[in-house]
Amino acid sequence: SSLYKRKKEWQTSDFDVGKHLGQGKFGNVYLAREKHARQPVALKILIKKELLDAKVAKFLKREVEIHAHLRHPSILRMYGYFQDDQHVYLVLECASQGSLYGKLEKRGRFDEMTTRQCIYQMANALSYLHTHGIIHRDIKPENILVDGKGKLKLADFGWAVHDRRPRRTTFCGTLDYLPPEMIENKTHNAKVDVWALGVLAYELLVGKPPFEHSEYGDTYHHIVKVKFTFPDHVSSLARDFISLALQYDIRKRSHLSDLVRHPWLQNTFKSVS
Ligand SMILES: Cc1cc(Cn2cc(-c3c(Cl)cnc4nc(-c5cn(C)nc5C)[nH]c34)cn2)no1
């Protein structure tokens, strides 16, 4: 039977747990096999005590509720979740080729065709999220996984929120993907994901994000001034696409629906080799 048709609540004895896949803030991810469906999954095991001590249990609850209902070919599937007294277990789709971050690190940078395929898939995933009133807010190569067929899967909805009203939330972690309105702590909306898509396109093509500097203050300054340059090898269509996403003024920043129709993204063939 498949993972979809199960009736009862899962428990740890339903899984054979295998190799360690990754380490995160509040736990680990393991390759596992669900005994009845015999299908490989990624089992994210989070430590309740750490979640409670860090007061992030409500974030996790929101992440799970948002993620469990999403169905899109470019969004990592969450098949379900369960808990025991020490842990919360998220049963996730396993992306057998690991993260886009790992692939980018190995290759240095991607050619334009590969980058266009990646951005096309992520633009569609974001379009789906925005249509459902969700902003992801944490698009970056570390949160994008690659399945066995080279298709991208957007993962980690830890920072996703329902985009009901303009939001003010402080962020910790790298600035590289944050738009001016978030680092200037102004209200923000779904256009933060458009900005991040522009940063992602740049990083895949160039091998590093457009505003990266060793000093936090320098990165901050370059983001709010939208100061970046393109290496010669970047095509004019790619420059046009990225410049439409990296607009300071959110009224001038393209809508996702316009970016998915941009000439740079037309007739891509949807898988990363
Ligand atoms: C806690 C915690 C850790 C992480 C980061 N993370 C995600 C994964 C992961 C998931 Cl959720 C799904 N499929 C994966 N496939 C891999 C993988 C495959 N190879 C060959 N190498 C890796 C790595 N990782 C997957 C692991 N860690 N988020 O929260």
Side-chain angles (χ1 to χ4, degrees):
S1 74
S2 87
L3 292 172
Y4 306 88
K5 283 187 281 203
R6 92 193 127 76
K7 294 284 170 286
K8 68 173 182 45
E9 194 58 15
W10 268 321
Q11 55 188 6
T12 45
S13 57
D14 291 321
F15 298 89
D16 289 322
V17 181
K19 73 170 181 169
H20 181 254
L21 290 177
Q23 171 97 30
K25 294 174 284 268
F26 302 102
N28 291 280
V29 176
Y30 297 89
L31 181 62
R33 182 181 291 282
E34 203 273 342
K35 288 175 181 166
H36 310 285
R38 300 197 53 66
Q39 184 173 342
V41 295
L43 195 59
K44 188 187 272 197
I45 305 179
L46 301 167
I47 301 148
K48 270 186 176 173
K49 184 168 175 348
E50 287 183 19
L51 292 170
L52 293 166
D53 291 354
K55 299 188 176 48
V56 292
K58 70 173 168 73
F59 277 95
L60 179 77
K61 201 166 160 352
R62 179 165 64 195
E63 170 184 350
V64 170
E65 268 143 26
I66 288 175
H67 198 167
H69 295 93
L70 300 176
R71 301 282 184 279
H72 187 276
S74 300
I75 292 179
L76 194 80
R77 188 73 208 285
M78 177 184 285
Y79 300 119
Y81 50 92
F82 58 98
Q83 56 184 309
D84 58 26
D85 45 3
Q86 271 105 12
H87 299 102
V88 175
Y89 303 85
L90 309 184
V91 185
L92 299 164
E93 175 182 359
C94 180
S96 62
Q97 292 195 54
S99 76
L100 194 62
Y101 180 84
K103 286 203 171 293
L104 186 62
E105 221 184 6
K106 270 192 212 105
R107 292 203 214 163
R109 62 182 171 89
F110 293 159
D111 62 33
E112 290 235 347
M113 175 49 94
T114 305
T115 303
R116 285 169 53 216
Q117 289 161 357
C118 293
I119 299 302
Y120 179 82
Q121 291 170 55
M122 289 301 97
N124 280 305
L126 288 174
S127 240
Y128 170 86
L129 289 175
H130 292 180
T131 311
H132 288 76
I134 296 162
I135 42 181
H136 187 280
R137 297 200 305 174
D138 202 10
I139 310 293
K140 55 187 178 185
E142 295 88 322
N143 289 341
I144 299 169
L145 299 167
V146 187
D147 77 358
K149 300 189 192 94
K151 290 193 183 300
L152 299 193
K153 303 281 178 177
L154 183 55
D156 197 342
F157 288 78
W159 283 103
V161 284
H162 278 288
D163 176 23
R164 290 288 168 242
R165 63 203 178 293
R167 311 197 53 81
R168 295 173 75 101
T169 312
T170 46
F171 247 70
C172 51
T174 167
L175 276 177
D176 282 321
Y177 275 74
L178 293 186
E181 64 271 18
M182 281 194 87
I183 57 178
E184 291 172 323
N185 206 4
K186 293 178 185 154
T187 60
H188 59 275
N189 63 14
K191 291 259 177 110
V192 301
D193 286 340
V194 173
W195 176 279
L197 192 67
V199 174
L200 180 68
Y202 183 101
E203 178 166 8
L204 299 185
L205 279 175
V206 177
K208 59 182 180 45
F211 307 110
E212 185 183 67
H213 286 83
S214 46
E215 296 298 316
Y216 182 97
D218 291 345
T219 305
Y220 183 106
H221 172 80
H222 284 78
I223 290 172
V224 295
K225 296 272 180 259
V226 195
K227 254 177 89 178
F228 68 99
T229 55
F230 290 110
D232 297 348
H233 65 78
V234 179
S235 75
S236 53
L237 261 191
R239 293 170 192 237
D240 185 72
F241 178 91
I242 291 167
S243 306
L244 289 171
L246 299 185
Q247 284 291 320
Y248 178 89
D249 181 343
I250 58 173
R251 293 165 304 184
K252 290 200 193 102
R253 197 178 302 163
S254 283
H255 266 279
L256 214 44
S257 45
D258 298 327
L259 284 183
V260 287
R261 286 200 300 272
H262 189 276
W264 191 54
L265 292 190
Q266 296 325 300
N267 53 62
T268 58
F269 300 97
K270 304 186 194 51
S271 78
V272 171
S273 52

